[in-house]
Amino acid sequence: MKTPRILERESVLAPLMLTPVALYMVLLVGFPFLMAFVYSFSNVTVGNPEFQMVGFRNFAAVLHDPTFLKSLLNTCIFTFTSIATVLVLSNMLTELLMREFRFKWLIRFLIMLPWTAPIALGAIGYLWFLDSVFSPIDWLLRTWGLLGKPGDLLGPMSNLYWLGRPDLAMASVIVVHVWRLLPLATMIRIAGMNSIPREVIEAAQVDGAGYFRRLFHIVLPLLLPVISVTVLFSTLFTFTDMTVVWVLTKGGPPDNSTQVLASLAFLKGIQGGDLAQGAAVAIFFFPVLAGVAAVVLRIAKKAVVT
Amino acid sequence: MKRKFSRREFIKDMGVGAVAIAAGPAFLNDVLAQTPGRRTLRILQWSHFVPTHDKWFDQWAKEWGEKNNIDVIVDHIGLADLRSTFASEVAAGKGHDIVEFIDPPSDFEPSVMDLADLNKEAEKRFGKQLPVATRSSYNPHTKKYYGFCHGWTIDPGDYRQSLWEKAGKPDGPVTWEDLIVYGSKIKNEQGIQMGIGISQELDTNMAERTLLWSFDSSIQDDSSNVILDNKNTVDAVKFMVELYQKTMTPEVFGWTAASNNQLLIAGKASYILNSVSAYRSAQKDVPEVAKDIFFTPALKGPRGTAHACEHVIYVTVIPKFAEKNADLAKKFLLDRVANYDRAIWESKLYNSPSFFNTAIPAGERGYPAVAHAKHLRDLHNAWFAKDPFALPGERTDKLLPLKDAEKWSVNVGFPGTSNPAEGEIFGTFVLPGMFARVAQGKQSAEESVKQAHEQCKVIFDKWRAQGLIGGKK
């Protein structure tokens, strides 16, 4: 069948091809965002869709709420620790996977595995790993004589109670989130590494540059656009995600030791019935995140140009 | 001859297939369940903890539909999805005709019908409704019945008799103080802990309210004024901290709603607060543990007060958008109450009725007839005196202490009625935070209670401004 001539014109074809994406953005991203924005300035509740505008009252209320302030701090700890850990580990994994060794394909496959499984499923698996009574990690520690008896390195208690102690619970959600993000970050790093011309690295080697000099003066500057985008997306994703926290701790142990802004928004908006305050919590950091995105994208663009 | 698929055809067919697979089951279920020209009644409710109940209910609803020339569609969803699903239906202005919650959905009041007529008719047919049911479905401030409560679930104490016998208290605890005295003895001498959560989950929310009420305190008074910051609350918090330190481990801070059941069934808890479902699970999975599980009514506080939170309260609503089917919905709900003997039986005594004076229908009822039983009260008394689901060789009188549970069971919000502020405090785990901050040594009991009081006041003020609750402070 012959293609209609009008479709051969770029001015027609391009908008046509972009329409599905634009529709998707407007209907599934733009519209809900606009609703959240309007809701955050209203007194809407989950049981009453009719509402009145109340100005900045919801934002003032959440700023006075100790749970919000704690969730904000938790979100920052959760996000920045996760991202920093992912950056370091993905760098190490990239170095490993850039070398040739036997069964490299198997290692790559295993590293990618967490990315292919639904996160809720993975998190439920971790829920069992970190169970307060039946944790196999605790069982191993007891078997190795590190836990369970007076004088043992990790204490005399039979379990570590991963999700029952505030510090261990936060560490647990960070570890699971890192496990979830690491595959993609590593693959992006490997793709970036492959784009660096070999001769540049080899020339530096010939000139006597050691590993760290090559890493900090050649590899990382050349990878800056890739790393910036990875960090940007991972930060935005982590800042606004609640899956791992919700499945593992529901924001606990009390008092909200692992509560993050995204889970607090759900808790207030749906569980608590106050949709307006839930929306206010959800979009509170939109201006900051938008600013961060703009700055990082600018840095990445500059790095490409130079 | 083999037909070759082009790549384009393949993608197209796959796309159609994917849509059919994704949307098909729900759409097909609805379409197949409907008969052209007949009215349809759609019901949304949770997946019951006792699966035999849902099996019976779905069949009964279908037969009810046949009898009344109506298509009845019952959708069961997970407990955690009920609120968000109904919230979307309210926002969309369409959805199910009857929605059943297991906690009071008081914040949905503006979007649901006033069911005063249904409640009045039910009392006319089935006698007085239990106060715990009325207080979970009626708003005295707006004078509106936002729901209809057909049943509820008892929340007793479950204890392992052999452990308590060795500790010198064979009939289990009677007071909260007994939990510290004998619970610590059991932990120190037998190595088994107690299982009352201090976590951000449902059972903790209930247990902490139960403790508060038994210490003669509460979040609100009977006029919806916040009164949490008082000496009795401080005493209750200090008691909980002592109980935790002497009888439990940090695991209780990380519990889910299933954790205390699991601990009891695994034989690692001396006492938990939970419905009979934990015991029924043990009967199925670990009979030797089940045979050792016994029950206590609400424990007495320092001044002899004993209250316990209902474990589940079935409150059904009819959304305003379903008004055209309200007549069917009301008829269905009244007939459901008339057949509540089956709900009790099929849930293995998990469900208790809100209308104890309901007459037992004549004829074969699907369970062994109980001599001289005319009303649900007679059945309830007979079954709680001699548990028909006891295992062979197991004592059959274990449920006897729960026979009069309606006398000590109260609603979320007691001594007032359930309301949206109490719901938000429950849903956002204000009380678990109050107890945990002290148990973790982060605040004194006085400071923590004051902080929780202020949080509650803000929440009450907000809902008061919405016109849904009374009170002044």
Side-chain angles (χ1 to χ4, degrees):
Chain A
M1 203 176 109
K2 225 176 158 187
T3 313
R5 183 162 280 198
I6 192 162
L7 288 181
E8 285 172 7
R9 282 165 52 190
E10 199 175 309
S11 59
V12 174
L13 190 63
L16 198 69
M17 300 293 275
L18 285 173
T19 303
V21 178
L23 272 178
Y24 169 83
M25 295 286 284
V26 169
L27 293 177
L28 295 179
V29 181
F31 184 66
F33 177 76
L34 188 69
M35 291 293 285
F37 189 76
V38 173
Y39 279 175
S40 68
F41 289 97
S42 76
N43 66 348
V44 67
T45 68
V46 80
N48 189 4
E50 289 168 19
F51 57 83
Q52 292 165 336
M53 301 310 279
V54 296
F56 285 90
R57 202 171 74 188
N58 292 316
F59 294 96
V62 296
L63 272 177
H64 285 98
D65 183 355
T67 310
F68 173 79
L69 299 175
K70 190 161 192 179
S71 304
L72 176 60
L73 179 67
N74 287 341
T75 308
C76 292
I77 294 171
F78 178 58
T79 303
F80 298 122
T81 314
S82 303
I83 301 303
T85 314
V86 165
L87 272 179
V88 173
L89 292 181
S90 65
N91 190 46
M92 290 162 72
L93 270 176
T94 306
E95 288 294 327
L96 179 75
L97 293 174
M98 289 299 288
R99 288 154 208 260
E100 290 305 320
F101 57 91
R102 283 182 76 185
F103 302 115
K104 185 173 156 181
W105 63 270
L106 181 66
I107 302 294
R108 274 196 185 198
F109 170 74
L110 290 175
I111 287 169
M112 278 304 287
L113 212 51
W115 191 255
T116 57
I119 179 58
L121 206 62
I124 287 169
Y126 273 99
L127 205 54
W128 173 66
F129 265 108
L130 303 169
D131 188 89
S132 52
V133 178
F134 307 105
S135 165
I137 304 172
D138 289 349
W139 177 79
L140 273 179
L141 293 171
R142 283 196 300 272
T143 308
W144 293 335
L146 297 171
L147 179 71
K149 286 194 241 31
D152 283 351
L153 184 68
L154 297 171
M157 309 279 258
S158 60
N159 293 75
L160 279 179
Y161 310 119
W162 297 94
L163 303 179
R165 291 164 139 175
D167 44 356
L168 282 181
M170 180 54 92
S172 301
V173 293
I174 289 172
V175 166
V176 177
H177 195 68
V178 167
W179 169 83
R180 175 194 192 186
L181 286 185
L182 192 57
L184 186 71
T186 306
M187 287 304 149
I188 292 174
R189 280 291 312 271
I190 290 175
M193 283 293 280
N194 284 332
S195 69
I196 298 176
R198 283 300 313 159
E199 54 270 28
V200 177
I201 308 272
E202 282 163 8
Q205 258 173 331
V206 170
D207 289 345
Y211 172 76
F212 285 107
R213 184 164 281 250
R214 291 201 306 276
L215 179 69
F216 288 109
H217 287 93
I218 296 172
V219 175
L220 287 184
L222 286 172
L223 282 181
L224 192 60
V226 174
I227 292 175
S228 306
V229 172
T230 312
V231 168
L232 171 66
F233 283 115
S234 303
T235 304
L236 296 182
F237 178 70
T238 306
F239 217 91
T240 54
D241 186 60
M242 61 176 270
T243 317
V244 172
V245 165
W246 197 250
V247 174
L248 285 188
T249 64
K250 298 258 185 310
D255 178 25
N256 296 297
S257 301
T258 61
Q259 198 76 264
V260 289
L261 289 180
S263 55
L264 181 68
F266 177 76
L267 206 64
K268 274 195 172 292
I270 302 296
Q271 304 277 88
D274 189 346
L275 213 49
Q277 274 198 16
V281 171
I283 70 158
F284 202 93
F285 268 80
F286 171 73
V288 178
L289 293 178
V292 170
V295 170
V296 175
L297 287 175
R298 203 173 169 82
I299 293 170
K301 197 176 171 190
K302 266 190 178 174
V304 171
V305 172
T306 51
Chain B
M1 195 178 95
K2 272 188 185 173
R3 184 176 167 232
K4 280 188 181 173
F5 273 94
S6 71
R7 196 162 54 180
R8 189 180 296 270
E9 278 175 323
F10 177 75
I11 290 169
K12 194 176 138 197
D13 290 353
M14 287 297 284
V16 172
V19 171
I21 289 166
F27 179 70
L28 276 177
N29 267 349
D30 274 18
V31 170
L32 291 175
Q34 288 173 41
T35 314
R38 283 217 308 205
R39 290 173 76 187
T40 304
L41 186 69
R42 289 185 173 79
I43 301 163
L44 177 70
Q45 60 189 48
W46 73 319
S47 298
H48 202 287
F49 283 150
V50 184
T52 48
H53 174 276
D54 282 354
K55 206 173 155 195
W56 160 76
F57 178 77
D58 292 355
Q59 184 58 31
W60 179 82
K62 199 175 156 196
E63 286 166 10
W64 182 90
E66 291 304 322
K67 227 179 276 174
N68 291 279
N69 197 30
I70 291 158
D71 292 323
V72 180
I73 297 168
V74 185
D75 293 321
H76 296 276
I77 59 172
L79 170 60
D81 298 323
L82 256 179
R83 279 184 67 80
S84 49
T85 304
F86 187 54
S88 343
E89 295 192 353
V90 166
K94 58 203 258 187
H96 294 80
D97 302 304
I98 297 175
V99 182
E100 181 186 282
F101 289 87
I102 65 161
D103 55 351
S106 51
D107 53 336
F108 284 105
E109 184 182 322
S111 299
V112 298
M113 291 181 65
D114 186 351
L115 300 181
D117 55 345
L118 173 64
N119 278 279
K120 203 171 154 195
E121 179 62 25
E123 287 210 324
K124 203 170 124 194
R125 289 191 197 182
F126 311 118
K128 192 98 186 103
Q129 189 183 40
L130 288 182
V132 68
T134 312
R135 285 168 169 277
S136 302
S137 52
Y138 176 68
N139 183 344
H141 182 65
T142 57
K143 302 194 178 357
K144 177 174 174 176
Y145 275 96
Y146 55 83
F148 176 68
C149 177
H150 57 73
W152 59 292
T153 297
I154 303 166
D155 195 27
D158 312 25
Y159 71 99
R160 291 274 309 282
Q161 196 194 37
S162 61
L163 306 175
W164 284 78
E165 195 167 22
K166 272 188 213 158
K169 193 83 175 162
D171 294 331
V174 176
T175 65
W176 279 93
E177 190 60 30
D178 286 343
L179 293 186
I180 290 190
V181 175
Y182 297 95
S184 57
K185 212 169 162 195
I186 292 170
K187 186 172 179 250
N188 295 335
E189 292 171 5
Q190 302 177 56
I192 304 286
Q193 68 171 90
M194 195 156 287
I196 298 175
I198 314 180
S199 183
Q200 302 195 171
E201 50 91 20
L202 293 176
D203 287 353
T204 295
N205 256 329
M206 292 179 225
E208 287 173 349
R209 277 162 179 76
T210 294
L211 174 66
L212 213 54
W213 293 323
S214 300
F215 269 68
D216 302 289
S217 187
S218 57
I219 294 171
Q220 64 169 357
D221 62 14
D222 58 2
S223 306
S224 308
N225 296 303
V226 179
I227 54 157
L228 185 64
D229 188 7
N230 65 66
K231 190 182 168 302
N232 291 343
T233 307
V234 173
D235 288 346
V237 171
K238 285 179 179 168
F239 174 87
M240 189 68 194
V241 174
E242 191 184 348
L243 183 66
Y244 159 70
Q245 286 167 344
K246 291 187 172 168
T247 69
M248 294 187 270
T249 65
E251 75 171 276
V252 295
F253 294 119
W255 271 7
T256 66
S259 299
N260 59 9
N261 301 33
Q262 288 164 355
L263 204 71
L264 185 78
I265 293 167
K268 290 176 180 288
S270 60
Y271 177 93
I272 68 165
L273 280 168
N274 212 319
S275 68
V276 295
S277 63
Y279 162 62
R280 296 291 185 220
S281 302
Q283 281 183 313
K284 194 164 146 265
D285 299 331
V286 202
E288 63 278 15
V289 171
K291 285 176 184 173
D292 196 27
I293 295 173
F294 285 71
F295 299 93
T296 65
L299 302 179
K300 289 177 185 158
R303 285 162 290 276
T305 309
H307 290 302
C309 192
E310 40 73 15
H311 190 74
V312 156
I313 192 103
Y314 300 99
V315 185
T316 49
V317 297
I318 303 176
K320 280 181 178 167
F321 60 70
E323 197 174 358
K324 65 176 187 343
N325 272 346
D327 57 331
L328 293 183
K330 288 174 186 172
K331 182 170 168 34
F332 180 87
L333 290 170
L334 287 169
D335 286 347
R336 183 173 189 179
V337 174
N339 286 276
Y340 220 77
D341 57 331
R342 293 295 306 278
I344 303 170
W345 176 264
E346 299 296 344
S347 68
K348 299 182 176 169
L349 314 190
Y350 183 85
N351 282 27
S352 287
S354 296
F355 299 92
F356 268 111
N357 292 327
T358 306
I360 302 167
E364 164 60 35
R365 299 301 298 158
Y367 53 81
V370 174
H372 312 299
K374 290 186 175 137
H375 297 97
L376 293 183
R377 167 60 73 190
D378 305 324
L379 274 186
H380 171 90
N381 286 354
W383 285 339
F384 274 66
K386 192 178 175 190
D387 182 5
F389 300 100
L391 296 171
E394 188 181 12
R395 263 176 65 175
T396 56
D397 61 347
K398 289 179 172 183
L399 300 178
L400 197 55
L402 314 182
K403 190 166 69 77
D404 301 323
E406 77 277 5
K407 289 180 182 162
W408 42 263
S409 297
V410 295
N411 57 293
V412 171
F414 178 81
T417 53
S418 299
N419 62 46
E422 285 277 351
E424 182 174 340
I425 291 164
F426 194 96
T428 54
F429 307 114
V430 175
L431 288 197
M434 178 179 82
F435 283 94
R437 286 192 295 271
V438 187
Q440 291 163 347
K442 290 176 181 166
Q443 270 182 339
S444 70
E446 288 79 4
E447 286 167 346
S448 188
V449 170
K450 205 172 274 303
Q451 182 179 322
H453 179 92
E454 289 309 315
Q455 285 176 280
C456 293
K457 250 175 77 65
V458 170
I459 293 171
F460 265 75
D461 286 345
K462 192 175 60 186
W463 288 102
R464 206 171 276 132
Q466 293 267 354
L468 289 176
I469 55 173
K472 288 185 177 137
K473 52 179 187 175

